[in-house]
Amino acid sequence: MRPRLTLSAIALSLGLGSLGLGPPAAQAAAPAPVDKLDHALLWGRDIDQASAVLAVKLGFQVRPGRNPGGVANRYVRLADQGYLELLGITRPDPELDPGMQADQASLHGGSGARAFGLHASALDQAQADLKAQGLPVTPIFTAAADDPDGQGPGKPPRWRLFAFDRPVLSSSVFLIDYAAPRSDPASVADDKTARQHPNGARSLSAFWLLSADAGADKAKLEKLGLAGAVPVRVPQVAAKGYCVAVGPNALLALEPDGPGIAADALREGGPQVLGVSLDVADLDAAKRRVERGYEQSLAGYDGLSGAAFLAPTRADLGLLIEFHAASAKGPCEGVKG
């Protein structure tokens, strides 16, 4: 029997192969079909170990998910509806779809992120717009009618998404939308509680996409309707590239800028989601918590979103996490290349 695919399985199973998009000047960029960042898919070497890192060392609340086919998922949900989805293999013979197999081949059983989602509230229109741009969009996939986390048969599916038959960025990307959540008092209270974190994390600010050619990713983002790139440098990881606004958030298309973290990560793991940026309510309190978790002092710096610090999570999670204070600036506003 063919296993029922979860959201993660479908998203990870799409986008294999390669795509030459041609020069960006060949077509005018379409209006952006997406309205914000949605979530990143983060593989842990072991889901309990990765959950412990997120909870104990970093101070997140990690919420349980499901375990279909020996691939479990858990969540770090944020108040702005963005989130991190943690994935981990829980048995020796997991049911891995082709995308999961490709991710595991890239990660060699280690931790890291190779895929992420963008939110599109007008998903059907976004699919049509991108197809008109000549991009290889897939059909729209939906959660099953008997999804245990949905509202049951006869109700809108909990999520709908489409991806691409061939990659359109250095990391895999998909577009997703959700049905209205359950509105009963218990579900509303549970959802509110799930988005409150001891470290004060409130919202998702940016994904850091790392490849050998940031300019190529910039051109591909323009094909997705995400134009207006601003040159940027991230000296904390020795990287340079572009900042591209996605609604209230940003995508950083980065490449190494000499020896350093970015060059090491690319050499060891290839193209990837190198990091995420998160807004926290109290930067000093978050920094003290992470310093206690890692038993080391951490340097603060003036980052792309203002005052920030970088948690030393790459060895644990294969993903860097930047915490920053609230900023009045818009995404990519005032950055310097």
Side-chain angles (χ1 to χ4, degrees):
M1 180 184 297
R2 180 179 176 85
R4 182 176 64 193
L5 294 179
T6 64
L7 185 160
S8 303
I10 291 175
L12 287 167
S13 69
L14 300 167
L16 303 179
S18 63
L19 176 65
L21 294 177
Q27 283 186 325
V34 301
D35 45 74
K36 62 180 180 178
L37 304 182
D38 193 80
H39 72 285
L41 300 172
L42 173 60
W43 285 92
R45 285 186 294 270
D46 173 270
I47 197 159
D48 290 329
Q49 177 268 343
S51 296
V53 169
L54 288 163
V56 178
K57 290 188 174 183
L58 297 170
F60 290 105
Q61 180 184 182
V62 181
R63 303 289 286 188
R66 302 288 175 177
N67 187 7
V71 180
N73 65 350
R74 295 176 184 170
Y75 300 95
V76 174
R77 298 192 180 279
L78 299 163
D80 68 343
Q81 308 301 311
Y83 61 100
L84 299 177
E85 182 173 1
L86 178 62
L87 301 167
I89 294 173
T90 59
R91 72 186 195 199
D93 58 341
E95 297 170 358
L96 300 178
D97 60 56
M100 289 180 173
Q101 292 173 6
D103 267 20
Q104 287 299 304
S106 171
L107 291 165
H108 304 290
S111 300
R114 297 294 184 272
F116 66 98
L118 300 173
H119 185 264
S121 56
L123 194 72
D124 298 276
Q125 186 62 52
Q127 184 201 41
D129 289 346
L130 293 177
K131 185 175 182 179
Q133 289 289 311
L135 294 175
V137 297
T138 68
I140 290 178
F141 299 90
T142 67
D146 60 350
D147 177 357
D149 298 311
Q151 300 193 48
K155 300 291 185 179
R158 184 168 60 92
W159 52 261
R160 305 168 67 238
L161 70 80
F162 70 88
F164 301 89
D165 287 322
R166 302 182 301 277
V168 293
L169 289 172
S170 58
S171 293
S172 296
V173 62
F174 54 94
L175 275 63
I176 187 167
D177 190 26
Y178 304 90
R182 292 174 174 171
S183 58
D184 61 282
S187 296
V188 171
D190 286 347
D191 183 68
K192 181 179 179 180
T193 300
R195 301 178 190 280
Q196 298 172 353
H197 299 279
N199 63 15
R202 298 185 297 192
S203 62
L204 182 63
S205 304
F207 291 151
W208 305 12
L209 309 183
L210 176 66
S211 72
D213 188 345
D217 264 351
K218 169 180 172 288
K220 293 171 183 178
L221 286 168
E222 289 172 349
K223 287 283 288 185
L224 289 172
L226 297 170
V230 178
V232 68
R233 289 182 182 271
V234 185
Q236 291 74 30
V237 298
K240 64 181 179 180
Y242 302 92
C243 180
V244 180
V246 184
N249 314 130
L251 280 173
L252 304 183
L254 302 174
E255 63 184 47
D257 188 21
I261 291 174
D264 292 344
L266 187 65
R267 181 180 64 253
E268 295 166 7
Q272 59 193 272
V273 182
L274 176 64
V276 300
S277 297
L278 304 174
D279 170 289
V280 293
D282 185 328
L283 186 66
D284 290 336
K287 185 168 177 285
R288 287 195 299 272
R289 180 178 287 274
V290 176
E291 287 177 332
R292 180 68 181 272
Y294 278 90
E295 298 184 337
Q296 62 179 278
S297 297
L298 300 172
Y301 56 87
D302 186 20
L304 303 183
S305 299
F309 73 93
L310 198 61
T313 51
R314 184 167 166 260
D316 286 331
L317 300 175
L319 178 83
L320 294 170
I321 299 181
E322 180 191 62
F323 296 90
H324 67 84
S327 173
K329 297 189 297 184
C332 307
E333 183 180 339
V335 303
K336 298 179 180 180

